[in-house]
Amino acid sequence: MKKIKENVCLSVLSACMIAGMLTGCGSASGSTANSDTSVELLNVSYDPTREFYAAYNELFCDYWKEKTGQDVTVTQSHGGSGSQARSVIEGNEADVVTLALAHDVTAIEEAGLIESGWEDEFDKDSSPYTSTIVFLVHKGNEKNIQDWDDLIRDDVDVITPNPKTSGAACWSFLAAWAYQQEQDGQDSAATQEFMKKLYQNVLVLDSGARGSTNTFVENGQGDVLIAWENEAYLSMQEYPDQYEIITPSISILAQPSVAVVDENAKSHGTPEAASAYLKYLYSEDAQRLAGKNYYRPSNEDILREFSDQFNLDMNLVTIEDFGGWNEAYKTFFEDGAIFDQIYDE
C-alpha cells in the first residue's frame, strides 16, 4: 500500500525490531522517560491498522493533552496478528495490543503479561470496531467470481495470508468453512476436501494481510484476494477504477480485540494512559474515524451513519458458531489440526 504522508504530528520510523510508526503531540524532546509532562506508549497491532492508528493517535494525543496536560508519543508496530502476539510474549514491550482476534490476546494473557478478565475491561468484549471478510477482484471481474465455490475452480488463482501467522487468514478460513458446511449439510470430511482444493489454488501464503494485499494489488498476482473489508476498501480508494469488492453469500463477523499489557504498562508507569488510549476508541470521534477508515464502528448508531458504505445485511456467522476462539483454534489452527492436515496434503 502507499506510504502515509507525514504531517506535524506524524513521522515514520525505521526501527530494527518493530518497524513502527511514531506519533506525538506537543513537544517531542526525544526523551524515552515518562514524566509528569509526557508519556510514551507502544501499540503492537495487526497488519492493516497502520493508517487508522496513525490518525487515531493524533486524535488521542490531543484529547489526552487537553485532559491531563501530558504530551503523548505513540509508537506503532504492525505485522501478522499471531506473529505480533508472539513478539510480545518474547519481549516486545507493548503497553497495549490491538490484535485481529481474541485468541492472540489470550496467548499473551497465558504468558502472564495480561491480567485475566481483559475481555470485560472495555465494551463489546473489548472489541471497539469490527470487520468482515470479502473478495477483492480486478475491475470487471473477468473470472466472474461471486462466492466461495468459485475459489476452487481450476482457472482461479487465490491470494490469502497464512492462518498460522495472520488473524485475517483465520477469520477467512472460518468463513469459507461455514459456507461449505452449509452446502455439505455439516459433513466435515466433505468440507475439509473443499478447503484442500481452495488452498491448492493459493499462489502465495504471505505472513500477514498487508503482505497479501501487496502481492495482489502491487505485484499483480492472482485473480482474487480474500481480504479484510477495510483493506479491500482502502485498495479501491488508492487505485480507483482498478478493483471491485465481491460480497460472498456467507462471511463472518470479525472482532479485533484490544487489551492493556498490564505487566509492561506497570513497568513503564503507563497503566492510566494505556487504559485511556483503548477506552477512547469508543468515543464518538474515534468511532467515526474508524468508519472513515473502513472499520465497522461498534456503536450501532454511528455504524448506521455508514450504511451507504457498508453492506449491513450480510449473512455473518460468528466465532460462537465455532464454540469460541479457544475451541476454534484447537480444532483448526494448532499444530497438527485441520489446516495443517489440509496444507500438508
PDB file of all heavy atoms in Angstrom, residues 25 27 33-39 65 68-72:
ATOM      1  N   CYS A  25       2.284  14.429  20.043  1.00  0.00           N
ATOM      2  CA  CYS A  25       1.635  15.730  20.039  1.00  0.00           C
ATOM      3  C   CYS A  25       2.399  16.650  20.986  1.00  0.00           C
ATOM      4  O   CYS A  25       2.926  16.211  21.988  1.00  0.00           O
ATOM      5  CB  CYS A  25       0.184  15.617  20.495  1.00  0.00           C
ATOM      6  SG  CYS A  25      -0.952  15.289  19.143  1.00  0.00           S
ATOM      7  N   SER A  27       5.388  18.965  22.346  1.00  0.00           N
ATOM      8  CA  SER A  27       6.845  18.923  22.266  1.00  0.00           C
ATOM      9  C   SER A  27       7.340  17.506  22.137  1.00  0.00           C
ATOM     10  O   SER A  27       6.893  16.618  22.837  1.00  0.00           O
ATOM     11  CB  SER A  27       7.448  19.569  23.526  1.00  0.00           C
ATOM     12  OG  SER A  27       8.834  19.401  23.556  1.00  0.00           O
ATOM     13  N   ALA A  33      11.856   8.649  28.729  1.00  0.00           N
ATOM     14  CA  ALA A  33      11.303   8.504  30.070  1.00  0.00           C
ATOM     15  C   ALA A  33       9.926   9.161  30.156  1.00  0.00           C
ATOM     16  O   ALA A  33       9.713  10.264  29.674  1.00  0.00           O
ATOM     17  CB  ALA A  33      12.239   9.138  31.097  1.00  0.00           C
ATOM     18  N   ASN A  34       8.976   8.452  30.826  1.00  0.00           N
ATOM     19  CA  ASN A  34       7.686   9.047  31.100  1.00  0.00           C
ATOM     20  C   ASN A  34       7.839  10.014  32.264  1.00  0.00           C
ATOM     21  O   ASN A  34       8.646   9.817  33.167  1.00  0.00           O
ATOM     22  CB  ASN A  34       6.668   7.967  31.449  1.00  0.00           C
ATOM     23  CG  ASN A  34       6.384   7.061  30.274  1.00  0.00           C
ATOM     24  OD1 ASN A  34       6.192   7.536  29.172  1.00  0.00           O
ATOM     25  ND2 ASN A  34       6.364   5.761  30.506  1.00  0.00           N
ATOM     26  N   SER A  35       7.061  11.084  32.265  1.00  0.00           N
ATOM     27  CA  SER A  35       7.167  12.098  33.312  1.00  0.00           C
ATOM     28  C   SER A  35       5.805  12.713  33.526  1.00  0.00           C
ATOM     29  O   SER A  35       4.807  12.298  32.928  1.00  0.00           O
ATOM     30  CB  SER A  35       8.174  13.179  32.892  1.00  0.00           C
ATOM     31  OG  SER A  35       7.667  13.926  31.810  1.00  0.00           O
ATOM     32  N   ASP A  36       5.764  13.734  34.386  1.00  0.00           N
ATOM     33  CA  ASP A  36       4.503  14.431  34.606  1.00  0.00           C
ATOM     34  C   ASP A  36       4.042  15.162  33.361  1.00  0.00           C
ATOM     35  O   ASP A  36       2.866  15.485  33.224  1.00  0.00           O
ATOM     36  CB  ASP A  36       4.657  15.440  35.758  1.00  0.00           C
ATOM     37  CG  ASP A  36       4.822  14.744  37.108  1.00  0.00           C
ATOM     38  OD1 ASP A  36       4.447  13.570  37.209  1.00  0.00           O
ATOM     39  OD2 ASP A  36       5.346  15.384  38.034  1.00  0.00           O
ATOM     40  N   THR A  37       4.960  15.461  32.456  1.00  0.00           N
ATOM     41  CA  THR A  37       4.609  16.252  31.273  1.00  0.00           C
ATOM     42  C   THR A  37       4.580  15.439  29.982  1.00  0.00           C
ATOM     43  O   THR A  37       4.188  15.956  28.948  1.00  0.00           O
ATOM     44  CB  THR A  37       5.596  17.413  31.092  1.00  0.00           C
ATOM     45  OG1 THR A  37       6.920  16.882  30.959  1.00  0.00           O
ATOM     46  CG2 THR A  37       5.549  18.349  32.299  1.00  0.00           C
ATOM     47  N   SER A  38       4.998  14.186  30.028  1.00  0.00           N
ATOM     48  CA  SER A  38       4.998  13.378  28.806  1.00  0.00           C
ATOM     49  C   SER A  38       4.826  11.903  29.141  1.00  0.00           C
ATOM     50  O   SER A  38       5.138  11.460  30.249  1.00  0.00           O
ATOM     51  CB  SER A  38       6.298  13.576  28.022  1.00  0.00           C
ATOM     52  OG  SER A  38       7.393  13.060  28.753  1.00  0.00           O
ATOM     53  N   VAL A  39       4.321  11.160  28.185  1.00  0.00           N
ATOM     54  CA  VAL A  39       4.143   9.721  28.344  1.00  0.00           C
ATOM     55  C   VAL A  39       4.341   9.069  26.984  1.00  0.00           C
ATOM     56  O   VAL A  39       3.999   9.657  25.949  1.00  0.00           O
ATOM     57  CB  VAL A  39       2.742   9.389  28.928  1.00  0.00           C
ATOM     58  CG1 VAL A  39       1.640   9.838  27.983  1.00  0.00           C
ATOM     59  CG2 VAL A  39       2.605   7.912  29.254  1.00  0.00           C
ATOM     60  N   LYS A  65      -3.803  15.504  25.975  1.00  0.00           N
ATOM     61  CA  LYS A  65      -3.142  16.764  26.309  1.00  0.00           C
ATOM     62  C   LYS A  65      -4.128  17.714  26.977  1.00  0.00           C
ATOM     63  O   LYS A  65      -3.819  18.353  27.994  1.00  0.00           O
ATOM     64  CB  LYS A  65      -2.575  17.397  25.035  1.00  0.00           C
ATOM     65  CG  LYS A  65      -1.918  18.761  25.242  1.00  0.00           C
ATOM     66  CD  LYS A  65      -0.597  18.662  25.962  1.00  0.00           C
ATOM     67  CE  LYS A  65       0.140  19.993  25.949  1.00  0.00           C
ATOM     68  NZ  LYS A  65       1.422  19.930  26.671  1.00  0.00           N
ATOM     69  N   THR A  68      -5.076  16.056  30.559  1.00  0.00           N
ATOM     70  CA  THR A  68      -4.061  15.880  31.606  1.00  0.00           C
ATOM     71  C   THR A  68      -2.896  16.850  31.529  1.00  0.00           C
ATOM     72  O   THR A  68      -2.125  16.959  32.494  1.00  0.00           O
ATOM     73  CB  THR A  68      -3.484  14.459  31.543  1.00  0.00           C
ATOM     74  OG1 THR A  68      -2.698  14.322  30.351  1.00  0.00           O
ATOM     75  CG2 THR A  68      -4.588  13.411  31.562  1.00  0.00           C
ATOM     76  N   GLY A  69      -2.737  17.514  30.388  1.00  0.00           N
ATOM     77  CA  GLY A  69      -1.567  18.366  30.186  1.00  0.00           C
ATOM     78  C   GLY A  69      -0.348  17.610  29.709  1.00  0.00           C
ATOM     79  O   GLY A  69       0.690  18.212  29.439  1.00  0.00           O
ATOM     80  N   GLN A  70      -0.434  16.283  29.595  1.00  0.00           N
ATOM     81  CA  GLN A  70       0.705  15.479  29.159  1.00  0.00           C
ATOM     82  C   GLN A  70       0.782  15.389  27.637  1.00  0.00           C
ATOM     83  O   GLN A  70      -0.234  15.268  26.955  1.00  0.00           O
ATOM     84  CB  GLN A  70       0.589  14.048  29.701  1.00  0.00           C
ATOM     85  CG  GLN A  70       0.999  13.876  31.143  1.00  0.00           C
ATOM     86  CD  GLN A  70       1.010  12.398  31.523  1.00  0.00           C
ATOM     87  OE1 GLN A  70       0.155  11.621  31.114  1.00  0.00           O
ATOM     88  NE2 GLN A  70       1.998  12.012  32.309  1.00  0.00           N
ATOM     89  N   ASP A  71       1.993  15.435  27.108  1.00  0.00           N
ATOM     90  CA  ASP A  71       2.237  15.083  25.714  1.00  0.00           C
ATOM     91  C   ASP A  71       2.326  13.564  25.603  1.00  0.00           C
ATOM     92  O   ASP A  71       2.829  12.890  26.505  1.00  0.00           O
ATOM     93  CB  ASP A  71       3.542  15.702  25.220  1.00  0.00           C
ATOM     94  CG  ASP A  71       3.492  17.219  25.195  1.00  0.00           C
ATOM     95  OD1 ASP A  71       2.440  17.758  24.834  1.00  0.00           O
ATOM     96  OD2 ASP A  71       4.502  17.850  25.561  1.00  0.00           O
ATOM     97  N   VAL A  72       1.852  13.042  24.488  1.00  0.00           N
ATOM     98  CA  VAL A  72       1.880  11.593  24.256  1.00  0.00           C
ATOM     99  C   VAL A  72       2.684  11.296  23.008  1.00  0.00           C
ATOM    100  O   VAL A  72       2.525  11.963  21.984  1.00  0.00           O
ATOM    101  CB  VAL A  72       0.458  11.018  24.088  1.00  0.00           C
ATOM    102  CG1 VAL A  72       0.518   9.506  23.904  1.00  0.00           C
ATOM    103  CG2 VAL A  72      -0.409  11.365  25.278  1.00  0.00           C
TER     104      VAL A  72
END
